[in-house]
Amino acid sequence: MQIHDFDEPVDRIGTDSYKWDHEGEGGKYIPLGVADTDFRAPREAIQAVQKVVDFGVYGYGEYPRERFTEAVSGWYQKRYGLTVEKGWIRHSQGLMTGALWMILNAYTRPGDKILLQPPVYNTFGIVIQGAGRFVANNDLILEDGRYRIDFEDLERKTADPRVRILLVCNPHNPVGRVWTREELTRMAQICKKNDTLVVSDEIHGDIVYGDHVHTPYFSISQEVLDHVVVMGSPSKTFNLACMYSAYVLIPNKALRDQYDVVYEDYHFDYNYLGIEALIACYNECAYYVDQQNAYFQKNIQMVKDFIAETMPEVKVIEPEGTYLLWIDFRAWGMDQEALIQMFMDAGVRLNSGASYGSPGVGFVRLNVATQTAVLKKALERMGEAYRARGL
């Protein structure tokens, strides 16, 4: 079996990295914000891309539909024991830049409402509003350190005929919930009753911990197939974000046809290198995921231990999935900007919880997907900031 060295130092400064050159300002800060990893992709993906690069001709490609759909279908079979019909699979140029935008244009019209579950990934709202649609909110409820869905509010919100889509984040970014089959089923039943389409962003689906199991939304029952669209990508799992190669699973033929119209009308193409990386990862790199998830768990435990020992009044929301920690600093009673600035002054850049909606005020999001040595250094700086402020 292949072994990947996740402790390998990788210097991303000066590589036009959003994380290190923008958020980290070229080394001024240790950035634990944007959701990519600091690890090299699997060697099989690198070799697949290198083969195309070495060929040296980068003209128009012919989208390799058969190899692409076989790889995606095969991944769901190997990883989840599920059969995905190849006819369900549609290509997209990333999820936010491609899939969500096309879904909004295929299934809604300007002025329609899209229902979100804050605190939630902030780019959802940016894309929705940029497309001329409105955001409605079904806020999650934090209870005894764990988030749950407000189903009563979901019933009320989806009864509004202007709410056309419930956009589910599964696993949830940033709170780390892996929704159970029962929770997914109840959401689907409510939405079906109110003729609301469920769109499930499952980009973090391969990253789950312990006894938690990611349940792809299309798999919960035969009854939901006509009312569910799933968005997926290897970008979080294998650190392929800049490749913009993703896919949409659409079991319902009428919905597929609507998606195809949008895709074809805008003459979309595909990333010649990204497709090869996706195929290589899904065909050959399951080993990488298992090792990486174990590495994430080790880093998560280090953060939890640090918080418990250094600032015990702060609470880490136990992550069931994703490599993003959602941390509750409300006990400090600090202004949100002052909270983020305190850690920036110590040389660490975190994501403000306020950017994920009003329920996120008082929280921060911390990305553990970096080398343990880098994370340890960042935590040391955070501890120094805490002690210096005398909190």
Side-chain angles (χ1 to χ4, degrees):
M1 184 183 72
Q2 296 277 28
I3 301 295
H4 190 92
D5 182 9
F6 290 97
D7 281 320
E8 176 192 10
V10 179
D11 184 1
R12 299 179 66 190
I13 297 172
T15 64
D16 295 323
S17 160
Y18 183 89
K19 185 176 185 178
W20 284 89
D21 291 321
H22 176 72
E23 283 191 346
E25 296 187 22
K28 181 177 179 180
Y29 305 107
I30 297 176
L32 302 179
V34 67
D36 67 9
T37 82
D38 289 325
F39 312 132
R40 296 189 192 279
R43 68 193 70 179
E44 294 86 350
I46 295 171
Q47 291 166 354
V49 171
Q50 192 65 55
K51 181 179 178 181
V52 177
V53 170
D54 288 346
F55 180 63
V57 178
Y58 312 126
Y60 293 116
E62 174 69 16
Y63 166 51
R65 182 183 302 275
E66 188 64 24
R67 290 194 299 120
F68 176 74
T69 55
E70 281 183 0
V72 173
S73 179
W75 183 252
Y76 277 85
Q77 183 62 55
K78 288 180 292 191
R79 201 75 193 165
Y80 304 106
L82 296 173
T83 299
V84 173
E85 296 183 18
K86 294 178 185 177
W88 294 0
I89 302 168
R90 291 296 185 269
H91 169 259
S92 72
Q93 300 74 9
L95 292 197
M96 297 302 101
T97 54
L100 181 56
W101 187 88
M102 286 188 281
I103 284 167
L104 293 174
N105 278 272
Y107 310 131
T108 71
R109 294 294 175 265
D112 285 345
K113 294 181 180 179
I114 313 300
L115 191 58
L116 303 182
Q117 295 175 311
V120 72
Y121 180 48
N122 57 314
T123 303
F124 285 169
I126 293 170
V127 174
I128 289 166
Q129 291 170 336
R133 279 66 170 170
F134 294 97
V135 172
N137 291 316
N138 169 227
D139 292 356
L140 300 179
I141 297 172
L142 179 58
E143 193 171 73
D144 298 326
R146 191 169 187 256
Y147 281 88
R148 65 175 177 85
I149 296 163
D150 186 341
F151 286 106
E152 291 73 22
D153 182 68
L154 181 63
E155 285 265 16
R156 289 191 295 271
K157 297 292 174 60
T158 54
D160 181 348
R162 294 171 297 175
V163 173
R164 304 303 305 146
I165 288 175
L166 168 64
L167 182 52
V168 178
C169 200
N170 179 39
H172 192 284
N173 169 14
V175 308
R177 276 299 316 277
V178 175
W179 303 119
T180 64
R181 181 176 295 274
E182 291 72 25
E183 288 169 318
L184 297 173
T185 299
R186 189 170 175 189
M187 281 191 283
Q189 290 170 342
I190 291 170
C191 288
K192 185 172 183 177
K193 181 178 71 175
N194 291 311
D195 196 25
T196 302
L197 179 67
V198 175
V199 175
S200 184
D201 176 0
E202 304 188 1
I203 198 170
H204 295 276
D206 299 320
I207 306 167
V208 296
Y209 308 120
D211 295 331
H212 300 287
V213 177
H214 170 59
T215 304
Y217 219 126
F218 66 84
S219 71
I220 62 173
S221 70
Q222 191 70 27
E223 288 72 30
V224 308
L225 291 182
D226 284 346
H227 291 81
V228 167
V229 173
V230 169
M231 304 188 294
S233 170
S235 63
K236 303 300 181 188
T237 310
F238 300 103
N239 206 24
L240 303 177
C242 77
M243 293 292 190
Y244 290 98
S245 289
Y247 52 88
V248 182
L249 307 179
I250 314 175
N252 179 285
K253 184 181 183 304
L255 295 177
R256 285 199 303 273
D257 290 345
Q258 289 172 267
Y259 181 93
D260 289 344
V261 167
V262 174
Y263 190 98
E264 292 164 8
D265 276 356
Y266 287 90
H267 196 64
F268 282 125
D269 215 324
Y270 73 100
N271 185 314
Y272 195 51
L273 304 180
I275 286 283
E276 297 306 325
L278 178 151
I279 291 170
C281 285
Y282 276 179
N283 285 346
E284 305 175 58
C285 301
Y287 73 91
Y288 183 98
V289 187
D290 296 331
Q291 293 170 27
Q292 183 175 239
N293 285 355
Y295 195 87
F296 289 152
Q297 285 184 285
K298 179 182 69 171
N299 280 358
I300 288 168
Q301 190 61 50
M302 185 169 70
V303 176
K304 288 167 60 179
D305 290 345
F306 163 79
I307 294 289
E309 294 167 9
T310 307
M311 45 188 81
E313 69 279 7
V314 172
K315 305 300 179 186
V316 178
I317 303 302
E318 185 66 32
E320 300 171 356
T322 83
Y323 50 70
L324 306 165
L325 284 183
W326 189 237
I327 306 177
D328 183 354
F329 285 88
R330 290 177 298 174
W332 289 4
M334 289 182 68
D335 173 80
Q336 188 77 25
E337 290 186 10
L339 174 64
I340 298 302
Q341 189 62 51
M342 168 184 162
F343 292 122
M344 287 179 64
D345 290 343
V348 179
R349 196 155 195 175
L350 305 170
N351 286 152
S352 170
S355 66
Y356 303 99
S358 58
V361 173
F363 292 77
V364 302
R365 192 185 79 167
L366 185 154
N367 178 358
V368 303
T370 189
Q371 291 76 18
T372 300
V374 174
L375 183 59
K376 183 178 180 181
K377 185 176 180 181
L379 294 177
E380 289 171 353
R381 293 183 180 183
M382 291 173 67
E384 291 169 4
Y386 177 75
R387 288 185 288 272
R389 291 293 294 269
L391 291 165

